[in-house]
Amino acid sequence: MLTDRPLRRLSESSLTLPAAAVAATLTWWLPWGGYSLRLLAGWVACALTAYVVIETAAVHALLRMRSRMVSTVFLLLMAVATPLHELQGGTIAALALALTVRSLFDTAAAVRPEPDTLYACLMLSAGSLAWPPLLWLAPVLMLCQAVHMRTLTPRSLAAALMGLMVPYALWATAAFATGRWQPLAEHLGTMASPVAAPLRSLSTGQPLLPDIYLQWLSSADTDALRHSIAAWARPRAAIVASAGAAVLFAVTGVAHYLGVSADDKIRVRTCHYAYITILCTIVLWMLLQPRYGRQLLPLLIVTLAPSAAHYIALSRSRLAPFWAAVLALALVAALAVSIVAGMA
């Protein structure tokens, strides 16, 4: 089919990833007019995460062809999300999640999955030191290991718990030695907030939905509802635009992969299904607690990249070039909104 050849050439080209890396580097500089230490640190964290994404896709053959499209999609989505360019808890958490998923996939081919399980949970726990709520993804990862990898045994579960506890055991030891317990207590309080806040609302009889959703639902006036949404989204325009583009890529990739997954080997399918499970969890988290959007967006980008790249590289429908152009326009629009919002 002639219509899919441009996308195939783009996916197989050895210049695609370097071009995406150059474009991402330029977006790290152009909106700000120069580099700062936090921008450089964020760029390094993004580069390391892209490298882990490349290795994961290559080792586990996530695409049925030689392509760097997975890391290309990741870099382009990170490039348009200018609020994520400075080093922050979410970018460190994204690197930790990428390392965690890499080790989680390694358990599928291991004779003894305990070491890889330990390392996966250790990386996740270490990432939670930068963004505490990240640790709430541990049950989802264990579910993926049990359902998709089928390597969750009592021994690997014990290894997972040990990996989760090691960073905090070391911190508690240091706190005991120095007598400085307050930072650890505040950290644990922040970690508990995603669950503690809904439970507190439930115990007091208050609605579980965030206030902004309640405000929208209670607004009977269409104009007032539109102004309410605009007032909420305006100061968060860059995050909302970047998240919108990311969700469009995610829906496209997941819908495509679920339709063609039978063409992949069983081991490759398990990896993609695990990514999709984590992806759906993060999207649901963003919808229920939009205040974590800035931290969850890089995690969303890490998990959607494989399925979105699978669509761009392997889709053979007549609409594929057209829809690829729509995705490209979504990236440009998100970048434009992010730059304008950053200058405002």
Side-chain angles (χ1 to χ4, degrees):
M1 186 181 295
L2 294 176
T3 55
D4 61 28
R5 289 181 180 175
L7 286 181
R8 188 174 184 86
R9 287 198 297 267
L10 178 67
S11 302
E12 294 178 340
S13 175
S14 59
L15 298 177
T16 301
L17 179 58
V22 171
T25 302
L26 289 176
T27 61
W28 242 264
W29 172 74
L30 290 177
W32 312 100
Y35 279 111
S36 66
L37 183 59
R38 290 179 63 87
L39 282 173
L40 285 172
W43 182 86
V44 170
C46 180
L48 291 175
T49 308
Y51 175 76
V52 176
V53 169
I54 290 172
E55 287 297 307
T56 305
V59 171
H60 297 282
L62 297 182
L63 300 181
R64 299 189 303 271
M65 59 188 296
R66 186 180 182 277
S67 175
R68 293 291 183 263
M69 188 53 63
V70 178
S71 50
T72 299
V73 170
F74 169 78
L75 285 175
L76 291 178
L77 284 169
M78 287 294 293
V80 302
T82 58
L84 306 181
H85 289 180
E86 291 188 339
L87 185 67
Q88 44 118 357
T91 52
I92 299 175
L95 175 58
L97 181 62
L99 291 169
T100 298
V101 170
R102 167 65 191 274
S103 296
L104 182 69
F105 291 170
D106 288 341
T107 64
V111 177
R112 297 191 60 177
E114 294 85 5
D116 290 317
T117 303
L118 173 66
Y119 183 74
C121 291
L122 181 62
M123 290 297 100
L124 188 74
S125 185
S128 72
L129 298 179
W131 186 55
L134 178 68
L135 209 60
W136 288 107
L137 286 180
V140 181
L141 295 171
M142 294 301 98
L143 177 65
C144 291
Q145 188 175 0
V147 176
H148 303 306
M149 308 294 126
R150 299 180 184 273
T151 56
L152 187 64
T153 64
R155 295 181 60 161
S156 60
L157 180 60
L161 294 176
M162 185 179 300
L164 293 174
M165 289 189 299
V166 164
Y168 289 92
L170 294 176
W171 192 354
T173 302
F176 178 79
T178 60
R180 299 182 58 188
W181 290 97
Q182 184 176 358
L184 177 58
E186 292 176 352
H187 184 90
L188 295 177
T190 304
M191 181 190 301
S193 61
V195 174
L199 290 178
R200 192 181 306 114
S201 298
L202 189 63
S203 64
T204 57
Q206 297 177 354
L208 293 177
L209 287 176
D211 292 341
I212 185 62
Y213 292 154
L214 295 175
Q215 182 179 352
W216 295 349
L217 292 174
S218 62
S219 179
D221 186 355
T222 304
D223 291 335
L225 177 61
R226 184 170 61 251
H227 290 310
S228 173
I229 295 175
W232 177 83
R234 192 176 297 113
R236 306 168 182 84
I239 292 294
V240 171
S242 303
V247 169
L248 182 62
F249 271 79
V251 172
T252 300
V254 170
H256 160 77
Y257 189 78
L258 293 179
V260 301
S261 59
D263 297 333
D264 279 333
K265 296 179 180 179
I266 294 177
R267 182 180 171 186
V268 177
R269 287 205 300 268
T270 60
C271 295
H272 277 284
Y273 289 157
Y275 267 125
I276 291 172
T277 301
I278 303 170
L279 167 64
C280 293
T281 302
I282 293 172
V283 170
L284 182 62
W285 193 352
M286 292 181 73
L287 290 175
L288 293 178
Q289 296 183 328
R291 62 194 176 104
Y292 293 122
R294 185 186 181 95
Q295 292 79 22
L296 290 171
L297 181 55
L299 307 183
L300 176 65
I301 294 173
V302 167
T303 53
L304 72 85
S307 55
H310 197 284
Y311 170 79
I312 296 172
L314 298 173
S315 177
R316 295 294 171 261
S317 68
R318 293 183 179 275
L319 291 177
F322 166 76
W323 194 249
V326 172
L327 295 177
L329 289 175
L331 286 176
V332 174
L335 178 60
V337 172
S338 297
I339 292 177
V340 171
M343 292 179 176

